[in-house]
């Protein structure tokens, strides 16, 4: 009789998930040679697409205008996203908002990209950078979708959509997170694909779960990766950061 493929809690997919995580974390535990990140290497020469940034419309500094942004973690299943309301702010400030609402620790490099144009960091001295570009300029130019990448090793890519601009109704505290779904991954866990594999492993057979927990303990110092999305806590952190 031909052997049957196992499925469910003892599936081959569970084993593959743990192997993927083991390979990633064993690589991190070894001594690593210095790596030059392409994103930063490109910054050493003037970007030919800076012209797009120079041609952006002027920023609109109108406190009565409120922008609604949806920030989604690319590749997450089920989806992980936050909806944020804010006045026109610089990309430098938006970086800080994303760190708060997505639960990151601002411990790694980051970057924005719009229309295949990389936005220079302020430290690069490019003449125009994320501190001098505002979301109202993207909105006025019709560039309502752009990306934010955090940690070029794990490569957490966030899709950002400016959903609209409206008049503020009464007194509102901005920026604020008004809705969202999904708890954020932990920092330094290998990116979205390793994170999803790890979650699958933790739902697998007992041996698979044990191996996954051992990896977590070695890498993070604990085995509890469950998180709960708490909008109130996010907004408390936003008020602390911006007011």
């Amino acid at each position: 009789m031909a052997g049957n493929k196992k499925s469910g809690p003892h599936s081959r997919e569970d084993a593959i998930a743990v192997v993927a995580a083991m390979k990633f974390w064993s690589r991190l535990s070894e001594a690593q040679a210095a790596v030059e990140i392409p994103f930063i290497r490109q910054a050493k020469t003037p970007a030919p697409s800076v012209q797009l940034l120079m041609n952006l419309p002027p920023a609109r500094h109108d406190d009565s205008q409120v922008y609604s942004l949806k920030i989604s973690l690319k590749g997450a299943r089920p989806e992980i996203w936050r909806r944020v309301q804010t006045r026109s702010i610089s990309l430098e400030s938006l970086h800080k908002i994303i760190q708060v609402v997505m639960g990151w620790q601002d411990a790694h490099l980051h970057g924005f990209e719009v229309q295949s144009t990389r936005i220079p960091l302020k430290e690069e001295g490019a003449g125009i950078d994320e501190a001098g570009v505002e979301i109202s300029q993207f909105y006025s130019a019709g560039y309502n979708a752009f990306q934010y990448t955090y940690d070029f090793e794990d490569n957490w890519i966030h899709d950002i959509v400016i959903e609209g601009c409206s008049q503020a109704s009464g007194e509102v505290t901005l920026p604020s997170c008004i809705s969202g779904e999904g708890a954020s991954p932990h920092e330094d866990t290998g990116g979205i694909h390793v994170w999803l594999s790890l979650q699958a492993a933790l739902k697998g057979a007992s041996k698979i779960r044990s191996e996954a927990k051992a990896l977590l303990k070695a890498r993070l110092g604990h085995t509890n990766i469950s998180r709960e999305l708490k909008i109130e806590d996010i907004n408390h952190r936003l008020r602390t950061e911006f007011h």
Side-chain angles (χ1 to χ4, degrees):
M1 185 173 64
N4 294 326
K5 264 187 163 181
K6 289 187 178 182
S7 60
H10 299 279
S11 70
R12 181 170 175 270
E13 287 74 16
D14 290 336
I16 291 174
V18 169
V19 170
M22 287 178 69
K23 285 182 177 179
F24 174 77
W25 277 322
S26 63
R27 178 172 60 82
L28 286 185
S29 64
E30 297 170 356
Q32 298 292 309
V35 176
E36 188 174 16
I37 300 169
F39 192 101
I40 299 304
R41 184 173 65 246
Q42 293 166 4
K44 294 179 181 178
T45 57
S49 50
V50 162
Q51 192 65 37
L52 181 144
L53 303 179
M54 297 177 66
N55 290 337
L56 287 172
R60 297 167 58 185
H61 298 120
D62 184 349
D63 285 348
S64 69
Q65 300 292 306
V66 177
Y67 295 84
S68 177
L69 282 66
K70 185 177 181 181
I71 303 164
S72 306
L73 186 58
K74 192 176 184 69
R77 296 291 182 272
E79 293 184 359
I80 298 174
W81 60 270
R82 308 287 183 262
R83 181 166 284 112
V84 171
Q85 289 187 336
T86 181
R87 295 183 175 87
S88 182
I89 53 172
S90 69
L91 296 184
E92 184 180 46
S93 294
L94 180 57
H95 154 67
K96 296 176 182 178
I97 290 176
I98 295 171
Q99 288 291 309
V100 171
V101 301
M102 299 305 292
W104 302 125
Q105 300 173 14
D106 203 3
H108 302 280
L109 295 170
H110 72 275
F112 287 95
E113 186 174 306
V114 61
Q115 297 287 299
S116 300
T117 297
R118 185 181 63 78
I119 314 298
L121 300 175
K122 187 164 60 174
E123 294 80 3
E124 296 174 29
I128 184 167
D129 54 51
E130 65 176 31
V133 177
E134 297 200 6
I135 59 173
S136 63
Q137 295 176 272
F138 285 176
Y139 187 74
S140 296
Y143 303 148
N144 295 335
F146 55 105
Q147 286 190 330
Y148 168 87
T149 301
Y150 175 61
D151 185 353
F152 299 117
E153 178 75 24
D154 285 1
N155 209 38
W156 304 104
I157 300 174
H158 306 67
D159 290 322
I160 305 172
V161 176
I162 305 176
E163 297 181 311
C165 177
S166 59
Q167 288 287 125
S169 55
E171 290 190 12
V172 291
T173 301
L174 299 174
S176 67
C177 181
I178 61 173
S179 60
E181 286 186 4
S184 301
H186 283 255
E187 196 106 4
D188 298 324
T189 48
I192 192 63
H193 298 298
V194 174
W195 176 253
L196 294 177
S197 295
L198 178 62
Q199 289 184 312
L202 290 173
K203 296 175 183 176
S206 58
K207 183 176 185 297
I208 299 294
R209 289 199 307 272
S210 297
E211 291 177 0
K213 287 182 177 180
L215 287 168
L216 278 171
K217 183 69 174 178
R219 179 66 184 153
L220 302 180
H222 59 83
T223 61
N224 180 23
I225 65 169
S226 62
R227 283 179 168 180
E228 184 180 349
L229 172 60
K230 296 182 178 180
I231 301 295
E232 289 183 4
D233 289 352
I234 289 174
N235 284 322
H236 175 73
R237 289 187 61 199
L238 287 172
R239 288 193 296 271
T240 300
E241 178 74 31
F242 289 93
H243 298 282

